[in-house]
Amino acid sequence: QVHLVESGGGLVQAGGSLRLSCVASGSTSSSNRMGWYRQAPGKQRELVAAITSDGSTNSADSVKGRFTISRDNAKNTVYLQMNALKPEDTGVYYCNAHLNIVGLPGTYSYWGQGTQVTVSS
């Protein structure tokens, strides 16, 4: 069994900051690409930011300069530091990880349960 456990969401005023964390636990030997997606009410899920195992990152234009993604490979953990938050950043944030599983070939994609981020104006 593999689990992605997210934490760090909450309610914050516009201009504030939050830090999301996502830990991959269970029968995982290593992690490849890890990322954060978000889904606002009535909208499709969208990529916020992603990071590869060697540290290469990409992010949505809407969050560039405000959000920073990072990871700790030893802990199979990915972080999202969110600064200068705006009401339009409100949504459920989901962690996604491409993991290598002990005893299995290939890489498998997993999703966390989501954490709510609400930014008030």
Side-chain angles (χ1 to χ4, degrees):
Q1 289 285 348
V2 174
H3 300 281
L4 296 184
V5 179
E6 300 139 333
S7 61
L11 172 64
V12 65
Q13 288 189 331
S17 298
L18 285 173
R19 188 190 194 212
L20 305 183
S21 300
C22 173
V23 181
S25 63
S27 304
T28 176
S29 58
S30 61
S31 55
N32 298 311
R33 182 180 180 274
M34 303 181 80
W36 291 94
Y37 290 72
R38 68 185 178 192
Q39 188 165 19
K43 295 188 177 181
Q44 289 188 332
R45 190 174 298 188
E46 62 175 358
L47 173 69
V48 177
I51 185 169
T52 62
S53 57
D54 64 1
S56 298
T57 63
N58 67 291
S59 60
D61 289 343
S62 60
V63 307
K64 280 185 167 65
R66 300 187 298 122
F67 292 10
T68 301
I69 190 169
S70 61
R71 64 187 290 164
D72 185 332
N73 290 336
K75 297 180 179 179
N76 283 333
T77 300
V78 63
Y79 306 96
L80 186 68
Q81 178 65 45
M82 305 186 293
N83 299 328
L85 282 159
K86 304 176 181 179
E88 51 263 44
D89 294 319
T90 294
V92 179
Y93 283 67
Y94 296 92
C95 174
N96 173 252
H98 295 250
L99 304 173
N100 297 317
I101 306 303
V102 175
L104 295 178
T107 300
Y108 299 84
S109 178
Y110 290 87
W111 289 90
Q113 79 285 357
T115 184
Q116 177 69 44
V117 171
T118 302
V119 184
S120 63
S121 57

